[in-house]
Amino acid sequence: MHGPYSNSLIKKMIVYLLVISLIPLMLLSIISVYTANKVINGEVESLSVELTNDKLQRLELIATEIENLIANVSSVDEIKKVISKEVTDGSSYDYLTTQARMGYILSNFRNIKGLTSIEIFTFTGEHYYVGDTLNFKNIDEDLLKRFKEESIASGNKIYWSGIEQNVNINSEFDQVIATVAPIKVLDKYTYKENYV
C-alpha cells in the first residue's frame, strides 16, 4: 500500500486526528477563558466592595472625630466667654491676647488627619482661626452668611454642608467638606441661650 491512495489516506487521517483533537481543545480553551474572566470579575467586584466599605468606615470614623471635635471646641468655657464678649474690651492688646489664646486652644484640637482649618466666626464679626495658612483675612462673606443661615435653619447641632468652596479664599485647599456648628452661649441677663 504504497500508492497514491496511501499518502492521501495518511493525510486524511492526520487531518481527521487534528480536527478531532483541536475542536475539544478549542472548546476547552474558550470555556476556560470564560470561566477565568467570570472568576476574575467576581474577585475584582468583591475586592471593590470591600475597599469601598473600608473607605466608608474610615470616612464615618473621621466624621465622628470631627463631630467630637466640634462638641469639644464648642463646650470649652473659655471659648464661650471669648465669643460672648465677656473677656474682650476692644483694645488692640486685648484683641491680640484673645486671638493668641483662642489660637492656642484651637491648635490643641488639630489632630484629625485631613483637617484643613478650625474657624470660629461670631455674629459680631470676630474670626478665630487655626489652619493651613497664616493669611486668613480674606473670607468669602456670602458663603459664610449662607453657612450660618443653613446651619441655624437645619436645627442640628452639627450641620454637614458637603463639598464646598473654602470660606477662606487664601487657603491652599479650594474645596473642602464644610462642617458648621452654631454655638449658643447663655446670656447672663436674660438666662437664654443665643447664637453668637
Side-chain angles (χ1 to χ4, degrees):
M1 290 208 72
H2 286 295
Y5 293 113
S6 66
N7 280 342
S8 172
L9 187 60
I10 291 174
K11 286 181 183 175
K12 286 182 182 179
M13 190 70 143
I14 291 173
V15 168
Y16 178 74
L17 288 173
L18 282 173
V19 168
I20 287 180
S21 58
L22 283 180
I23 289 177
L25 283 175
M26 285 175 53
L27 286 174
L28 185 62
S29 296
I30 290 170
I31 291 170
S32 296
V33 167
Y34 175 77
T35 304
N37 277 339
K38 196 170 184 178
V39 168
I40 289 171
N41 286 338
E43 287 295 318
V44 166
E45 186 177 320
S46 174
L47 184 60
S48 294
V49 168
E50 285 180 33
L51 287 173
T52 302
N53 287 337
D54 185 48
K55 294 282 186 190
L56 185 59
Q57 287 176 347
R58 287 184 185 177
L59 188 59
E60 286 174 354
L61 180 63
I62 290 171
T64 301
E65 286 183 20
I66 290 172
E67 288 180 357
N68 290 337
L69 175 137
I70 290 171
N72 288 333
V73 167
S74 60
S75 67
V76 173
D77 286 334
E78 192 166 358
I79 289 178
K80 285 187 170 187
K81 283 180 186 176
V82 167
I83 62 178
S84 66
K85 296 294 241 167
E86 289 182 21
V87 173
T88 58
D89 66 5
S91 72
S92 60
Y93 174 77
D94 216 23
Y95 175 77
L96 289 174
T97 56
T98 302
Q99 283 283 354
R101 188 172 5 163
M102 289 291 280
Y104 176 74
I105 293 169
L106 294 178
S107 66
N108 289 324
F109 292 100
R110 282 212 31 133
N111 60 351
I112 297 176
K113 184 177 180 182
L115 185 66
T116 302
S117 65
I118 302 171
E119 302 188 55
I120 297 177
F121 297 94
T122 67
F123 281 104
T124 55
E126 285 83 19
H127 176 204
Y128 303 101
Y129 170 87
V130 169
D132 67 312
T133 178
L134 294 176
N135 188 2
F136 58 89
K137 299 291 184 190
N138 196 3
I139 300 299
D140 184 337
E141 295 295 334
D142 293 333
L143 183 59
L144 178 60
K145 181 181 177 189
R146 185 175 64 104
F147 283 163
K148 288 177 182 178
E149 290 170 355
E150 288 177 357
S151 66
I152 291 172
S154 76
N156 298 327
K157 288 185 179 182
I158 297 171
Y159 172 70
W160 290 86
S161 184
I163 298 174
E164 298 276 359
Q165 287 300 114
N166 196 330
V167 72
N168 184 346
I169 295 170
N170 294 322
S171 173
E172 67 178 86
F173 301 98
D174 293 333
Q175 291 191 318
V176 294
I177 297 175
T179 310
V180 183
I183 299 175
K184 287 183 174 182
V185 293
L186 186 65
D187 186 309
K188 64 183 177 182
Y189 301 110
T190 64
Y191 298 108
K192 292 182 180 178
E193 284 193 322
N194 297 316
Y195 291 109
V196 292

